Amino acid sequence: MPLDKRLQDIADNHAIVCYDGVCGFCQRVVQFLLPRDRHGAFYYTALQSPTGQALLKEHGLDPSSLSTFVLIDAGRAYVRSTAGLRVLLRLGGWWRLLYAAIIVPVPIRDAVYSLIARNRYRFFGKTDACMLPVPEARGRFLDRL
């Protein structure tokens, strides 16, 4: 099923960060990104949300797999460590220097990513609901538009 016009327009013009909405660590990552994304390059959606599920399906990803971080950018879906590094690249400034880690082979990067992902609830907790964004950022959360 194709994306609705509003969502397709956002996906065509912005990068979309899809994160585990009940993961304490993932919510902290979003909280980290919001003030550093001064140009509004990113929109956000929880993997569990109807929007997140539609985006995963649209890009051929398993909507039942909630253990990954996804970046939708320029019509492509990036996952795991590659998604994280591309987010840092898009943030600009000094953060883009960390993109140099892209030279590390994907299996090694994703092994580190998987170690963190497997233990994220144990280390950072799990919440019963998605975070409530600050008022000035609410328009960048797709399930709140």
Side-chain angles (χ1 to χ4, degrees):
M1 181 167 110
L3 300 175
D4 68 38
K5 183 172 175 14
R6 171 193 62 93
L7 184 55
Q8 188 63 58
D9 183 54
I10 291 169
D12 288 345
N13 295 295
H14 299 276
I16 301 172
V17 172
C18 305
Y19 63 98
D20 180 348
V22 297
C23 166
F25 176 71
C26 304
Q27 290 185 20
R28 286 183 184 103
V29 167
V30 172
Q31 301 261 353
F32 169 84
L33 292 174
L34 281 167
R36 289 163 182 82
D37 178 19
R38 295 185 181 107
H39 302 293
F42 300 110
Y43 276 72
Y44 305 89
T45 189
L47 293 166
Q48 297 88 340
S49 72
T51 302
Q53 294 285 293
L55 285 165
L56 292 175
K57 288 178 191 170
E58 178 75 14
H59 292 279
L61 299 172
D62 180 5
S64 65
S65 176
L66 303 177
S67 65
T68 192
F69 180 73
V70 179
L71 175 69
I72 310 280
D73 191 13
R76 284 194 61 192
Y78 301 93
V79 296
R80 295 180 279 289
S81 65
T82 302
L85 290 172
R86 290 189 69 86
V87 165
L88 293 171
L89 179 65
R90 291 276 314 246
L91 272 181
W94 293 101
W95 298 109
R96 73 175 356 144
L97 296 176
L98 295 173
Y99 187 73
I102 202 77
I103 65 169
V104 176
V106 172
I108 295 170
R109 288 194 333 254
D110 282 352
V112 172
Y113 175 93
S114 294
L115 179 67
I116 295 167
R118 268 194 314 275
N119 294 292
R120 70 189 186 278
Y121 295 141
R122 185 173 357 149
F123 296 151
F124 300 98
K126 189 173 182 179
T127 63
D128 293 332
C130 294
M131 68 176 197
L132 190 61
V134 294
E136 55 274 9
R138 285 193 183 137
R140 294 174 47 206
F141 284 77
L142 296 175
D143 296 300
R144 298 192 181 277
L145 295 177

